[in-house]
Amino acid sequence: MRILIHGGTVITFGSPCRVLEGRAVLIEDGRIARIAPKEAIPGPFDRTLDATGKVVMPGLVNAHMHFYSTLVRGLGKAAPSANFQEVLDNLWWRLDRKLSLDDVDISAEVVLADAVRKGTTTLVDHHASPFAAAGSLDRIAGAVRRSGVRACLCYEVSDRDGQAVTDAGLEENAAFARRCASEKDPHLRALFGLHAAFTLTDATLDRAAVLGRDAGVGFHVHVAEAASDVAYNLQHHGLTSVARLAGHGLLGRGSIAAHCVHASEADQELLASTDTFVAHNPQSNLNNAVGIADVLGMVRRGVRVGLGTDAMTVNMLEEIRVAMWAQHLRQDNPTCAFMEIANTLFARNPELATQLWGFPLGTLEEGAAADVILVDYHPPTPLDGNTVLGHLVFGISQATVDTTLCAGRILMEGKVLCNGLDEAALAARSRELAVKLWDRF
Ligand SMILES: [Zn+2]
């Protein structure tokens, strides 16, 4: 399959994020084969896409997501929560215990259809369904394949529901990681999922460390999301959450620590020295009133900080705007951290995806995966390498994604999904299952 995208302004992401005018993008066999003037690329082509009046950029990467939260939208039954622990007790842990495999499946498919619409083509998910754990990642993998995007999956192991559920979660991670390694599907990758240090015993952390190492995957865990996580680990183990996880060998180059809102300076040094990837999720942190992570401090200490949404949205350009405003508030400085925040989405997330997938992903360059989006955008001020990040955060973030490709396959064209997913039918099925889930809640 040879596809030529021409007539648009190319934005590359990466560092530096470049702007290329007068260039066409040739896609061959799922990869970006050439970026050159249109006249320099000989035909024939199976398809040509005219990107006039559009910017052509890489598909976006979400570094921390929970597909399973879809059916909670509008659920009004949870009791008011005064703090993060009560949010978990009153809502999320009540919900995930009631999820069936069918709920898991539809939750993922609905979100993934929306991800195509928003131009997010790679998602790192963290899944929990304690009483429907076995086979859950396979069901999500099926939804990922049907949608045509890429996802890195894991199961959230926790000791909060007893030994049998812990064992099922450990096994689900190990089984899915083995399957991923043997099948080598370029749309799927695995990490080993853990809930958070405050719901895990030392014995479970040690078992996870061995299983994850044997499977050859890193870990994906919530870290210091709320002050209560740190307080619990200090009280019961004499260590911060970061130090305790590091002590069990769970941090490192292949691992993702989500949140790190309450990472101390020493914790930040440890995250840097272990080369652990931090996924910052500002909308969720603001919503749960747990605080705003010190992204500026972490980056200055050498931590790789990327951007997730924690299921608040699949629209990464919405999330980065909030990240910008929140960091200004956190640092009490309205002009700080522009590059540090911009780099989370446009440089660090592509690096994470490239590391997880093992080939260039998330940047628009020759040889990279052909995950590409076309966005309607007429720049009202000069658009070049010096201004592109401002355009992305303040302008392109407000524009509409027109066309989405992943692995060289067109998933949406002219704002119409063409990956085979019927959004109306999916939503109808989702509403049916939501009513039943809410009854059980
Ligand atoms: Zn999360």
Side-chain angles (χ1 to χ4, degrees), residues 304-326:
R304 293 181 297 140
V305 183
L307 192 66
T309 65
D310 210 16
M312 295 291 286
T313 177
V314 282
N315 185 342
M316 297 311 298
L317 294 172
E318 175 190 307
E319 190 74 27
I320 197 170
R321 285 166 64 89
V322 177
M324 200 66 83
W325 327 147

Side-chain angles (χ1 to χ4, degrees), residues 1-3 5 26-32 46-47 49 59 109 116 121 141-150 185-187 368-374 403-413 416-422:
M1 189 78 173
R2 292 183 97 225
I3 302 174
I5 304 171
L26 174 67
I27 292 170
E28 267 180 353
D29 302 326
R31 298 291 169 105
I32 295 166
D46 299 296
R47 285 293 315 274
L49 300 175
E109 208 158 354
V116 171
T121 51
V144 172
R145 286 195 187 96
R146 288 192 294 280
S147 71
V149 300
R150 304 180 200 268
D185 183 334
H187 289 271
D371 299 7
V372 181
I373 61 176
L374 277 55
T403 296
T404 302
L405 296 91
C406 184
R409 178 181 161 209
I410 302 171
L411 306 179
M412 178 173 78
E413 186 175 2
V416 177
L417 293 193
C418 46
N419 55 353
L421 296 189
D422 177 339

Side-chain angles (χ1 to χ4, degrees), residues 298-375:
M298 286 193 276
V299 170
R300 282 180 179 161
R301 290 182 181 88
V303 182
R304 293 181 297 140
V305 183
L307 192 66
T309 65
D310 210 16
M312 295 291 286
T313 177
V314 282
N315 185 342
M316 297 311 298
L317 294 172
E318 175 190 307
E319 190 74 27
I320 197 170
R321 285 166 64 89
V322 177
M324 200 66 83
W325 327 147
Q327 199 59 204
H328 293 170
L329 187 63
R330 167 74 167 80
Q331 309 293 348
D332 192 22
N333 178 343
T335 53
C336 74
F338 181 80
M339 285 307 295
E340 287 82 357
I341 294 294
N343 280 336
T344 60
L345 181 59
F346 305 121
R348 299 292 94 78
N349 279 14
E351 288 166 12
L352 173 72
T354 296
Q355 183 190 323
L356 288 171
W357 263 261
F359 50 79
L361 190 61
T363 52
L364 232 165
E365 56 184 312
E366 291 181 359
D371 299 7
V372 181
I373 61 176
L374 277 55
V375 184

Side-chain angles (χ1 to χ4, degrees), residues 90-426:
N90 295 338
L91 177 60
W92 296 111
W93 293 355
R94 273 181 71 188
L95 178 90
D96 66 18
R97 287 179 182 124
K98 300 294 182 186
L99 288 170
S100 70
L101 288 178
D102 285 343
D103 297 332
V104 170
D105 201 323
I106 196 75
S107 295
E109 208 158 354
V110 165
V111 171
L112 291 168
D114 196 32
V116 171
R117 204 165 265 299
K118 302 300 192 300
T120 301
T121 51
T122 297
L123 302 104
V124 183
D125 193 65
H126 198 272
H127 174 66
S129 52
F131 295 96
S136 57
L137 297 183
D138 254 0
R139 294 290 289 266
I140 297 171
V144 172
R145 286 195 187 96
R146 288 192 294 280
S147 71
V149 300
R150 304 180 200 268
C152 178
L153 308 181
C154 72
Y155 186 85
E156 174 185 301
V157 174
S158 170
D159 285 310
R160 64 188 158 88
D161 290 304
Q163 194 61 48
V165 171
T166 300
D167 293 348
L170 290 166
E171 174 52 26
E172 184 63 8
N173 276 302
F176 185 73
R178 280 195 298 272
R179 198 153 41 242
C180 251
S182 69
E183 290 178 2
K184 297 188 171 62
D185 183 334
H187 289 271
L188 292 164
R189 288 295 184 267
L191 283 170
F192 201 103
L194 296 165
H195 173 245
F198 76 94
T199 69
L200 289 157
T201 62
D202 284 335
T204 301
L205 293 178
D206 285 337
R207 288 176 68 198
V210 170
L211 288 167
R213 253 197 317 273
D214 287 351
V217 297
F219 299 87
H220 186 180
V221 53
H222 296 110
V223 182
E225 179 172 0
S228 53
D229 176 22
V230 181
Y232 177 93
N233 283 289
L234 282 170
Q235 187 190 338
H236 294 272
H237 302 276
L239 294 166
T240 65
S241 334
V242 172
R244 185 165 165 239
L245 291 167
H248 287 272
L250 298 164
L251 301 183
R253 177 151 180 80
S255 292
I256 299 174
H259 300 299
C260 297
V261 174
H262 296 275
S264 65
E265 288 184 16
D267 288 335
Q268 295 180 15
E269 299 283 357
L270 192 49
L271 290 163
S273 66
T274 54
D275 202 13
T276 303
F277 190 92
V278 169
H280 175 47
N281 304 274
Q283 294 204 75
S284 164
N285 298 154
L286 292 165
N287 183 49
N288 287 328
V290 293
I292 300 163
D294 179 18
V295 175
L296 196 57
M298 286 193 276
V299 170
R300 282 180 179 161
R301 290 182 181 88
V303 182
R304 293 181 297 140
V305 183
L307 192 66
T309 65
D310 210 16
M312 295 291 286
T313 177
V314 282
N315 185 342
M316 297 311 298
L317 294 172
E318 175 190 307
E319 190 74 27
I320 197 170
R321 285 166 64 89
V322 177
M324 200 66 83
W325 327 147
Q327 199 59 204
H328 293 170
L329 187 63
R330 167 74 167 80
Q331 309 293 348
D332 192 22
N333 178 343
T335 53
C336 74
F338 181 80
M339 285 307 295
E340 287 82 357
I341 294 294
N343 280 336
T344 60
L345 181 59
F346 305 121
R348 299 292 94 78
N349 279 14
E351 288 166 12
L352 173 72
T354 296
Q355 183 190 323
L356 288 171
W357 263 261
F359 50 79
L361 190 61
T363 52
L364 232 165
E365 56 184 312
E366 291 181 359
D371 299 7
V372 181
I373 61 176
L374 277 55
V375 184
D376 295 335
Y377 191 61
H378 296 287
T381 58
L383 170 58
D384 56 34
N386 293 318
T387 63
V388 62
L389 296 175
H391 279 274
L392 283 163
V393 172
F394 292 94
I396 296 169
S397 63
Q398 307 302 291
T400 307
V401 178
D402 178 84
T403 296
T404 302
L405 296 91
C406 184
R409 178 181 161 209
I410 302 171
L411 306 179
M412 178 173 78
E413 186 175 2
K415 306 176 185 68
V416 177
L417 293 193
C418 46
N419 55 353
L421 296 189
D422 177 339
E423 291 164 293
L426 284 176

